[in-house]
Amino acid sequence: MFSGIIASSGVAIGNAFVLKEVEIQISDGVLDKAEVEADIARFRQARDSTVEQLEAIRDKTADKLGEEEAEVFEGHILVATDEELEEEVVSAIRSLKPADAALNEAIAVNVSMLEELDDPYLRERVADIRDVGRRMLKNLLGIPVTSLEEVEEGSILIADDLTPSDTSQIDLEKVWGFVTNVGGRTSHSAIMARSLELPAIVGARVATDRIQSGDMIVLDAINNKVLVNPDASALDYYRTLREQLDEERIELAKLKDLPCETLDGKTFEVCANIGTVKDVEGAERHGAQGVGLYRTEFLFMDRTQMPSEEEQFEAYKSVAEAMGGRSVIIRTLDIGGDKELPYLDLPKELNPFLGWRAIRMCFDKPDILNTQLRAIFRASAFGRLKIMFPMVISVEEARRLRAIVADVKAGLGHEGVSFDDHVEIGIMVETPAAVMVADLLIEEVDFFSIGTNDLTQYVLAVDRGNEMIADLYNPMAPAVLRSIKRVIDCSHKAGKWTGMCGEMAGDERAALILAGLGLDEFSMSATSIPRVKKVLREQRFEALHKLADEVMNQPTTGDVQTALDAFVG
Ligand code: PEP
Ligand code: MG
């Protein structure tokens, strides 16, 4: 048994399907003159099959996930059909290199040439060329390319990592969950798992070492456990648990249109965290009253250049329209930390989480923020948008952001572009500095949204992605709870509101305390909404308020848990 990081909750039982990269053996001989034309034909045939496969993947991705996600494969097709590449390969074959060696060399030459360039856009092409090159070589050598196609029904995918092209090929009828060695909660595969509602554990490090294809796997992405070939009693236990979860899901679905209201009539807003417009469907299905966090990073990832203002406008507008007048909080670009954008050429840093990330980078690259804000304001005419900024640490920053917003609005006004003049502007409270000056910061903004994923790591000085100290990473630690209380109190004192968009908001036990502290809005993965709604609907606010008071007086995280246990009964 081992664990990792829960990317998408649920329980799955199935047979392991281990995705391992095969070694490609390249021929080292010399061609006979008579073989030259045949090898050129073999190369062209392999290239054509590659293009056909990539077109199929592109179409499937566009169907399942939208044109935006499919774009990466357009780039791959361009690499495969590149005429210069063809010329290089053909000429090497004519000088008697076998087709596979000729292709391998041409790819290597292109890769090393691009790697030396200073242009980040071109350097990003390296990954594309490697990826497509491997596919062409496999086609040439008759090695099966998309082993994912061999997956049988009831499989749990086990991989070092899953690329966008892997995840886009997942057939939900056959794949019931996945475990990867690398990745964190915000990695591409984790986000995809959540939008596909597929149980998944990422960052498990040892998954491909400990598991062989065919092993029976229990993927417990509720308690963060991966069991390999469990005994009969464990299997029985998990089969029952899975059935209970299925039944519970049916029960919870009945709450969809009911308000999140305590027995004595106190209401809370429950919203969804989304990464793209495709997540809106899940948000609707689970009864989200709005979007409390739209992580715009995903629009900027898995591509080779910045999305234009127009492209961003279309994306934000489609979310605004899809939510049909319900509130959507768009978070400006939060890149850096563990989220990279290859085309931005971010420097390697010793402490990336304390480094040049989020608004810090945006202040230094004003075009990025301006373009994004223009796109958001233009989209604001089509729904009810709010804006929030990540990683704020001071009043100076909040004022500077407000000034930028004012400039953008003035610019759009001059151009005669219509936008909503009353878009609320908020900040994420995710640094201890913001907590300490929350009373001052709230004067500068319309609302707060507490980002407990980062706040926990910064308050406790515990890296949120480091498995070795995962037991220290706990948002229920008194230091974090006190921070949360302070933030909520400061906003209420100023007559404003506070939401939470960190994972803690979707934890049904934590929700009892947060509601008792008077948190106004809870934003979470859509799948968590029904359970949080259920637990709050079963309580009186008065009792939750008392619980929160009691919890705030506990000296240790263990005591907090004990007080909660006693309350839940
Ligand atoms: C957070 O830090 O709590 C948050 C919601 O932002 P992210 O997880 O994207 O850093
Ligand atoms: Mg954060």
Side-chain angles (χ1 to χ4, degrees), residues 185-186 293 295 297 331 334 339 357 428 430 451-454 464 501-502:
R185 210 185 44 78
T186 50
L293 167 63
R295 287 187 168 96
E297 297 78 80
R331 176 177 72 185
D334 183 8
K339 295 176 224 156
R357 64 174 288 204
M428 292 191 69
E430 49 186 350
T452 45
N453 304 339
D454 277 317
R464 71 194 247 186
C501 57

Side-chain angles (χ1 to χ4, degrees), residues 307-310 312-313 316 366-378 408:
S308 64
E309 179 183 319
E310 207 50 36
Q312 291 189 56
F313 163 68
Y316 307 147
D367 284 355
I368 297 180
L369 190 55
N370 271 325
T371 307
Q372 183 167 36
L373 288 173
R374 279 180 61 89
I376 298 173
F377 273 105
R378 284 174 57 200
V408 167

Side-chain angles (χ1 to χ4, degrees), residues 18 30 56 76 163 176 187 193 213 248 281 331 386 389 438 556:
V18 182
V30 175
H76 285 198
T163 64
W176 292 355
S187 59
S213 278
E248 193 192 15
E281 185 271 321
R331 176 177 72 185
K386 297 183 177 122
F389 296 101
T556 71

Side-chain angles (χ1 to χ4, degrees), residues 35 69 75 134 192 228 231 266 321 333 370-371 391 397 412 428 449 525 550 553:
E35 292 170 323
E69 303 271 344
R134 265 188 88 78
M192 298 275 273
V228 186
D231 60 24
K266 165 95 176 156
E321 287 181 334
L333 187 63
N370 271 325
T371 307
M391 282 295 289
E397 285 181 348
L412 290 170
M428 292 191 69
S449 183
S525 299
E550 196 194 334
N553 286 322

Side-chain angles (χ1 to χ4, degrees), residues 47 87 483 527 546:
R47 181 203 50 202
E87 276 167 28
S483 305
T527 45
K546 258 175 72 186

